[in-house]
């Protein structure tokens, strides 16, 4: 690449030098017949034209060649005595000096212009490389990711030896997110971080590397410093890195604001969840507590006049409702343990039909006018499940079906299986309110309008089914509602 650039540069210098000589020859041929009629100073100005053209095309080298050629031609053919390099009178030195001075000024101006053009082109190439950096930084979702991306991408895009972040840790700065060459990272960090834990601002040289820090801050916060090191750090690169520092600062501020918003949203969600918890648990616990209170109150006021079977039934009702309250609290604790990964299922081979029948008997004892139609294959194999959790799944679904079926209607339970799963369908003639989100029906504390299918039962059932690697779903039609859950045949 460098060889190509040198070849192109030499070609331009050669073209500029040759063109200046040709122009000087042509202009001299035209001006020699008129030299006695044109002042020497005017001729000098005319010969400046090839000089300017050569510098514009070929740069300094072509300008030097044009200056020498123009000076010699001007002295030989337009300064008396003609045909010699003798200047003659002292006054003739003035146009010659002006010609040389103009040449020198033109060369200096051209050189400065070339340097500025090269610097601008170099900076444009750097900014072109960095064009994708802002979008990359904005796409990150944590401060740690922004820092890591900033250091790694800066090193890769700009071909630097290395970069690292000096991030505030309390009242001191700590090096982090080192990218590129790690060899001198510790020494650079020690050099830039003073004994008071604060950063030294500016540029230094460590061994053969130039090192520079860039402050990362906004009006509202200070995020630390980006430190980069390389063999050379030209001004154009430093200016581009100042732009990079501003982009990193903006990305860090945006990420912090995003994190703050997420925390606020989380706190609001927790508050809403807590309020729903209080409402729902209060509802689900008050129902059995009300039954317990009613039974005990009846026994207390009319116990002496009750028939023995009535007395026993009231006691059983109170005990059953107390057991349900205890079981509800136990289910909530189990859900919490499952979601935390701290609950281990106690698998054992279980007859699904017998388990469903046992739950149905218990529900029939607490319900009025409940009827059950259970269908299952005669050769249904045993299911390998946690009996305690599965009993709660069946209880919650059957209880839900019985409570929402019209009086006297039958709840249909079908147990089936395919090559991978046991499939249990529980159908009741109750209907969901039109427009109810059937997916959210299993969310914690989601209330399905006036259908009454709300509370903790369905959410607990879903959690316990998913703990078995199964799935719980609902399908509602105009004629009724079907809850279906699956259990793997081999968990």
């Amino acid at each position: 690449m460098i060889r190509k650039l040198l070849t192109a540069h030499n070609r331009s210098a050669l073209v500029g030098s040759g063109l200046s000589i040709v122009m000087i020859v042509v202009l001299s041929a035209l001006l020699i017949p008129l030299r006695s009629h044109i002042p020497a100073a005017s001729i000098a100005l005319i010969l400046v034209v090839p000089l300017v053209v050569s510098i514009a095309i070929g740069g300094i080298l072509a300008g030097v060649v044009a200056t020498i050629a123009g000076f010699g031609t001007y002295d030989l053919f337009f300064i008396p005595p003609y045909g010699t390099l003798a200047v003659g009178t002292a006054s003739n030195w003035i146009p010659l000096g002006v010609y040389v001075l103009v040449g020198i000024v033109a060369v200096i101006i051209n050189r400065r212009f070339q340097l500025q053009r090269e610097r601008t082109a170099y900076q444009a190439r750097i900014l072109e490389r960095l064009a994708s950096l802002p979008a990359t930084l904005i796409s990150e979702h944590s401060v740690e990711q922004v820092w890591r991306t900033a250091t790694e991408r800066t090193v890769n895009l700009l071909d630097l030896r290395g970069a690292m972040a000096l991030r505030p840790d309390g009242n001191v700065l700590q090096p982090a997110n080192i990218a590129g060459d790690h060899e001198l990272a510790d020494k650079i960090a020690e050099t830039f971080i003073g004994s008071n834990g604060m950063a030294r601002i500016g540029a230094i040289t460590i061994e053969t590397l130039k090192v520079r820090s860039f402050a990362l801050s906004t009006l509202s916060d200070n995020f630390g410093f980006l430190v980069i090191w390389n063999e050379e750090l030209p001004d154009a690169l430093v200016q581009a890195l100042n732009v990079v520092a501003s982009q990193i600062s903006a990305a860090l501020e945006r990420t912090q604001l995003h994190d703050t918003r997420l925390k606020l949203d989380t706190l609001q969600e927790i508050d809403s969840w807590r309020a729903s918890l209080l409402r729902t648990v209060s509802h689900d616990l008050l129902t059995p507590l009300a039954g317990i209170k009613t039974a005990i109150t009846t026994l207390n006021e009319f116990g002496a006049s009750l028939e023995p079977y009535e007395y026993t039934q009231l006691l059983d009702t109170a005990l059953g409702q107390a057991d349900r309250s205890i079981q509800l609290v136990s289910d909530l604790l189990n859900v919490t343990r499952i979601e935390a990964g701290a609950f281990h299922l106690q698998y054992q081979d279980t007859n699904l039909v017998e388990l469903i029948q046992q739950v149905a008997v218990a529900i029939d004892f607490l319900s009025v006018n409940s009827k059950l139609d259970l269908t299952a294959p005669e050769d249904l194999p045993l299911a390998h499940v946690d009996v305690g959790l599965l009993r709660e799944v069946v209880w919650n679904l059957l209880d839900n079906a019985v409570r929402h079926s019209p009086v006297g209607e039958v709840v249909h339970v079908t147990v089936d299986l395919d090559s991978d799963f046991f499939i249990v369908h529980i159908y009741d003639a109750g209907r969901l309110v039109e427009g109810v989100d059937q997916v959210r029906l299993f969310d914690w504390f989601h209330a399905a309008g006036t259908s009454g299918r709300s509370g903790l039962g369905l959410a607990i059932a879903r959690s316990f089914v998913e703990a078995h690697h199964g799935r719980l779903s609902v399908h509602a039609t105009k004629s009724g509602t079907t809850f279906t859950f699956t259990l793997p045949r081999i968990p």
Side-chain angles (χ1 to χ4, degrees), residues 354-364 391 394-396 398:
E354 291 181 359
L355 186 145
I356 294 171
Q357 288 173 337
Q358 292 169 5
V359 174
V361 169
I363 291 179
D364 281 338
R391 180 178 289 111
V394 176
W395 178 288
N396 283 313
L398 284 182

Side-chain angles (χ1 to χ4, degrees), residues 125-376:
R125 289 195 298 272
I126 292 174
L127 294 176
E128 183 179 1
R129 291 183 181 182
L130 295 172
S132 62
L133 184 59
T136 304
L137 293 174
I138 290 175
S139 66
E140 303 296 357
H141 299 296
S142 71
V143 172
E144 185 65 33
Q145 289 176 333
V146 172
W147 273 115
R148 184 174 61 253
T149 299
T151 53
E152 291 178 355
R153 297 279 291 173
T154 301
V155 169
N156 294 334
L157 292 174
L158 300 180
D159 296 326
L160 300 175
R161 283 288 298 276
M164 70 176 169
L166 297 181
R167 299 171 57 179
D169 183 9
N171 295 325
V172 298
L173 292 170
Q174 296 291 342
N177 305 102
I178 302 171
D181 186 0
H182 288 60
E183 185 176 351
L184 295 176
D186 292 339
K187 187 174 183 179
I188 292 171
E190 292 175 1
T191 304
F192 264 93
I193 301 176
S195 58
N196 60 353
M198 304 304 291
R200 297 177 182 176
I201 308 300
I204 60 174
T205 300
I206 298 179
E207 297 185 4
T208 60
L209 298 178
K210 298 186 183 300
V211 188
R212 191 178 184 96
S213 65
F214 299 85
L216 303 179
S217 61
T218 62
L219 294 176
S220 60
D221 206 348
N222 178 28
F223 302 105
F225 296 85
L226 174 68
V227 180
I228 58 99
W229 55 93
N230 202 37
E231 285 80 3
E232 296 293 335
L233 294 177
D235 291 342
L237 179 59
V238 172
Q239 293 175 8
L241 286 169
N242 281 321
V243 176
V244 171
S246 299
Q247 294 172 346
I248 296 173
S249 300
L252 288 169
E253 184 177 47
R254 179 185 179 278
T255 303
Q256 280 195 346
L257 292 174
H258 178 71
D259 291 344
T260 301
R261 180 180 176 181
L262 285 179
K263 290 178 182 178
L264 290 175
D265 290 344
T266 301
L267 289 174
Q268 290 176 351
E269 186 175 348
I270 290 173
D271 287 340
S272 176
W273 198 85
R274 185 183 296 113
S276 297
L277 174 64
L278 292 174
R279 288 195 302 268
T280 309
V281 171
S282 298
H283 172 271
D284 284 24
L285 286 177
L286 280 175
T287 300
L289 289 175
I292 294 171
K293 182 178 180 180
T294 300
I296 293 176
T297 301
T298 303
L299 289 172
N300 183 53
E301 294 182 1
F302 307 103
S305 60
L306 293 175
E307 295 293 333
Y309 78 91
E310 292 176 330
Y311 193 93
T312 302
Q313 188 177 41
L314 288 171
L315 281 177
D316 288 340
T317 299
L319 289 173
Q321 295 290 4
D323 288 341
R324 283 308 301 161
S325 298
I326 294 172
Q327 189 61 54
L328 176 61
V329 175
S330 177
D331 288 346
L332 289 174
L333 291 176
N334 285 337
V335 168
T336 302
R337 295 189 186 103
I338 290 171
E339 293 182 349
F343 186 90
H344 301 286
L345 275 67
Q346 303 298 317
Y347 288 100
Q348 62 185 73
D349 291 334
T350 304
N351 188 311
L352 289 181
V353 174
E354 291 181 359
L355 186 145
I356 294 171
Q357 288 173 337
Q358 292 169 5
V359 174
V361 169
I363 291 179
D364 281 338
F365 180 77
L366 297 174
S367 304
V368 179
N369 294 327
S370 60
K371 297 179 182 180
L372 180 70
D373 174 43
L374 176 57
T375 303

Side-chain angles (χ1 to χ4, degrees), residues 396-418:
N396 283 313
L397 295 178
L398 284 182
D399 179 65
N400 184 280
V402 168
R403 285 189 292 111
H404 299 102
S405 293
V407 176
E409 290 289 342
V410 178
V411 174
H412 297 274
V413 178
T414 303
V415 182
D416 204 348
L417 75 163
D418 58 20

